[in-house]
Structures are given as structure tokens and as C-alpha cells.
Amino acid sequence: MATQQIPVVVLAGFLGSGKTTLLNHLLGTGDGTRIGAIVNDFGSIEIDAMTVAGQVDSMVSLGNGCLCCAVDTSELDTYLERLARPAARIDVIVIEASGLAEPQELIRMILASDNDRIVYGGLIEVVDAAEFDDTRARHPELDRHVGIADIVVLNKADRIADAARQSLMDTLAGLAPGRPVICTAYGRVDPELFFDRGPGEDHDAAVRQLSFEDLLREAAASGAPADHAHNAEDRCDAPGGCGHPGHAHPAGHLHAAYESVEFTSAEPMHPRRLMDFLDSRPAGLYRIKGFVHFDVPENRQKFTVHAVGDFLRFYPAPWPKGEERCTQLVMIGSGIDAPALRKELENCRESAPSEADPNSMWGVLRYVAAREEAEDE
């Protein structure tokens, strides 16, 4: 059976956009999710690492300078290997890139890794709403960075007027067609938009974030949950709020601008039709997870699917004994049309028994990792 893989999420954005604030938010609201953070800072004093260190015992830091310039693939693998070891029980790895790092180089290094315990988890580009025009003037490459992002977080959106915010949202939508653009303040985005929450099975160990000392000792150490208190209040009519003017909630109360759509089918899926759907995913759809049943000779395994942005992988493995053979998918995004998505997937079902032939699987098999070997039952 395929190894359970850990998503590696790249958190990028120019200096001052709020990457560390967002990372701190993810660490503080993980609800049992064990997050391995790799922090890369630019400059001789690691201000960002010191800020984030309040949420965890210590950080895995790659030192000063840009990650893409200072570390090659094999060196990055060394750090990812430490975090991905089964003994660490990590659920997700987040790389906070330097504000001057090239995101595509980070993606290239992750995709080139020979570590079969990790998988690319998406590029999150954080944009400063208040300083967008100035940042764009100083760094014309911002347009390119936004264009390759899997999801864009428009941070500090409370600092600009409604009309300016809508205009900026339209600009970002033009730079990253089809990608979700999440409007927020203080980096408050529900972690489940980016990754699945961990099981949280052990209150003595799982609820606390992993320290570097944990890794060195190869054992979990007991400690306090990584919580932090908020005394301020958020108004629901603020950007990212629930839309009810006059309501107030504690700052830790999340109002995530995303939707989750579930699809289940007892009938097998037609490979070509499903691939047509996956190759032309609707605007705003960020993640797809679950498993698929194909009733195709030599390909009747359980095909686990992992999609984020344009990245897609299938992982075939034998069906567990006694498990019902069906398709179960969860789609996560922002501004998506749930009924339309379900209708499209319903049209991907096989309309007649044994309608699909082995050649129809070619599109699916292109996205099976070369190292994956699975038995046919």
C-alpha cells in the first residue's frame, strides 16, 4: 500500500506581506495538527524565526539568505527528511520562504525530492493590500509570483477602502486566473483551506507543535498546547467576516471564505470523463482529496487522489478487505458552485457496465508517480 505522504506547503510573499503572521496563525489554530515549520530568513538577524519561536520550542531554520540560492535539492531533503520521519508524526510541513526567494525554485526543489514521504502541498502567495502598488513598482516580478500561486491571500485588507479592495481583488484575479483569492486581515485564514487537520489523538503530545529537540531525541516530549490569547474583537462586517454588521466575535473566531463540497458515487467513474473534469477544473477550486473507483480491467485498485492547484497525483493501492468499492471526493475552494461541481462529477460516472476500456486509463496513469507500485485485485 502507498505510503501516507506529508504535504509540503510553500508560504511566499515579499517582505512585510504578513507571511510570519499567517504562519503564527496556522501554528496557533492547528487544533492538534503537528506542523513542521522550515523558516528561511533574509538578513543577519533572524527576526522572523524569533517571532515564530514563541509558538514552538525551536525552529528548523535554514539560515540567512534565500532558500533557493543557499540550498540545493539534496540539502533541502536533509531538513525535510528530519520532519518527515514517522517518529516525528508530522501532519504537514510549511516552508516560509524569504521575501526575496523565487517561489518557482522552491517548488522545483520539492518536486525534485526523492523523499517518498512528502508531496507538494501548494504555493500560497501572501500579498500586502495596503502596499500592493508600491511593492509592484519595486518588484515587477510580483505579477509572475502571483501568476504561479495555487492560492492568493490578500492580507491587511482592512487597511484599504471597499472600492480599492474590490479593484485589487479584480487585479489579482486577472494575474492568477481561476485561482482562489482570499481576502483577510492579520493572516486569519482557516488552516483547513490549506491542509487537513491532524487526528489529534494524543492530548499529551499531539496537540503541541514539534520541536527540533523532539526530532533529535526521536521521541515526543510532553508540553503545553501552542495556544495564544486574544483580547481584541473582530467585527463581522470587516473583510473576511461573516457578513453580519454589528456582530462581534473574539479574534480567534474564524470566518473562512471557503467552501467544502463532497461527492460520493457507488457507480464506478469513467477515466476519460474524470480526467476531462480534472484538466479543466472550475475557477476557485483549490484542493481535491479522496479516492476513486474505476471498473477497468487491470486497474480496479483504489486510486487515492491528491490535487492542489495544477498539481495532480493518483496513488493506486489494493482495496482493504471488506471495504466498499466506491468514489468519495472532497473539493475545497473559494467562490465555487457546489451544485455545478456535483453535476459535472455525476456526468463522469460510467453510464453502462464495463463501458471503459484499458486504454481509457492512460490519462489517469500519467499522474501515477513512477515509483508507485500497486497490485491489482
Side-chain angles (χ1 to χ4, degrees):
M1 184 173 292
T3 303
Q4 182 67 37
Q5 293 185 302
I6 301 170
V8 180
V9 177
V10 178
L11 187 58
F14 284 92
L15 294 171
S17 61
K19 298 184 304 299
T20 301
T21 301
L22 176 54
L23 178 57
N24 271 295
H25 175 75
L26 297 178
L27 292 171
T29 59
D31 193 24
T33 304
R34 290 178 67 86
I35 301 173
I38 295 178
V39 180
N40 171 239
D41 303 294
F42 189 83
S44 57
I45 300 177
E46 298 189 349
I47 302 297
D48 287 350
M50 292 168 60
T51 302
V52 176
Q55 304 294 337
V56 295
D57 293 335
S58 62
M59 299 301 300
V60 178
S61 176
L62 299 184
N64 66 352
C66 299
L67 177 59
C68 60
C69 297
V71 181
D72 62 26
T73 303
S74 62
E75 290 173 321
L76 179 61
D77 269 348
T78 299
Y79 292 93
L80 292 175
E81 181 73 24
R82 291 177 177 176
L83 292 170
R85 286 181 295 183
R89 295 184 291 116
I90 281 290
D91 300 306
V92 61
I93 296 171
V94 179
I95 300 177
E96 185 197 6
S98 163
L100 299 180
E102 283 292 329
Q104 63 266 36
E105 288 300 310
L106 295 169
I107 296 171
R108 180 190 63 79
M109 286 192 270
I110 294 168
L111 294 178
S113 172
D114 58 1
N115 188 335
D116 62 1
R117 291 193 294 271
I118 64 171
V119 65
Y120 175 63
L123 169 63
I124 305 167
E125 181 73 20
V126 184
V127 175
D128 184 341
E131 300 294 333
F132 178 78
D133 290 336
D134 289 344
T135 303
R136 199 179 189 188
R138 292 194 308 271
H139 302 285
E141 62 271 27
L142 172 61
D143 287 11
R144 176 166 49 84
H145 290 186
V146 171
I148 65 172
D150 297 303
I151 189 167
V152 180
V153 173
L154 181 59
N155 195 34
K156 306 182 185 180
D158 57 329
R159 299 186 184 181
I160 59 176
D162 292 347
R165 182 165 56 251
Q166 185 56 57
S167 175
L168 183 48
M169 293 279 283
D170 293 341
T171 298
L172 294 172
L175 294 174
R179 296 294 189 257
V181 179
I182 304 299
C183 186
T184 189
Y186 304 103
R188 290 193 295 267
V189 181
D190 194 314
E192 289 192 76
L193 177 59
F194 305 137
F195 49 78
D196 295 340
R197 291 187 185 272
E201 74 278 2
D202 184 349
H203 288 284
D204 290 330
V207 296
R208 58 186 296 279
Q209 300 300 331
L210 185 76
S211 70
F212 192 54
E213 286 73 18
D214 286 327
L215 295 172
L216 294 177
R217 290 193 297 266
E218 291 282 340
S222 60
D227 295 334
H228 57 278
H230 297 278
N231 295 318
E233 290 186 331
D234 289 337
R235 301 193 66 82
C236 296
D237 49 345
C242 66
H244 301 292
H247 290 191
H249 298 280
H253 189 88
L254 295 172
H255 307 291
Y258 81 97
E259 297 86 36
S260 177
V261 181
E262 296 183 4
F263 173 80
T264 302
S265 174
E267 302 170 31
M269 306 297 284
H270 192 286
R272 285 201 183 101
R273 293 175 197 158
L274 181 63
M275 287 309 303
D276 286 344
F277 169 80
L278 293 174
D279 287 338
S280 57
R281 279 168 260 171
L285 187 56
Y286 174 57
R287 288 203 295 143
I288 303 174
K289 60 181 181 177
F291 51 86
V292 182
H293 170 42
F294 299 114
D295 188 19
V296 179
E298 300 182 7
N299 292 280
R300 293 191 173 97
Q301 305 101 314
K302 179 179 183 178
F303 279 78
T304 298
V305 61
H306 167 77
V308 56
D310 289 331
F311 182 83
L312 174 65
R313 282 290 184 274
F314 284 99
Y315 303 94
W319 288 91
K321 187 175 181 179
E323 181 174 344
E324 178 186 2
R325 301 195 177 197
C326 64
T327 295
Q328 293 185 9
L329 297 173
V330 178
M331 294 156 285
I332 299 170
S334 177
I336 54 180
D337 186 337
L341 278 177
R342 292 193 183 98
K343 182 64 176 176
E344 287 189 57
L345 284 169
E346 286 170 2
N347 293 334
C348 294
R349 293 167 169 164
E350 283 195 36
S351 55
S354 303
E355 178 185 12
D357 60 74
N359 290 339
S360 66
M361 286 293 297
W362 287 353
V364 173
L365 297 178
R366 285 189 300 119
Y367 293 97
V368 173
R371 58 177 172 263
E372 293 294 333
E373 298 291 340
E375 305 173 12
D376 184 27
E377 289 192 327

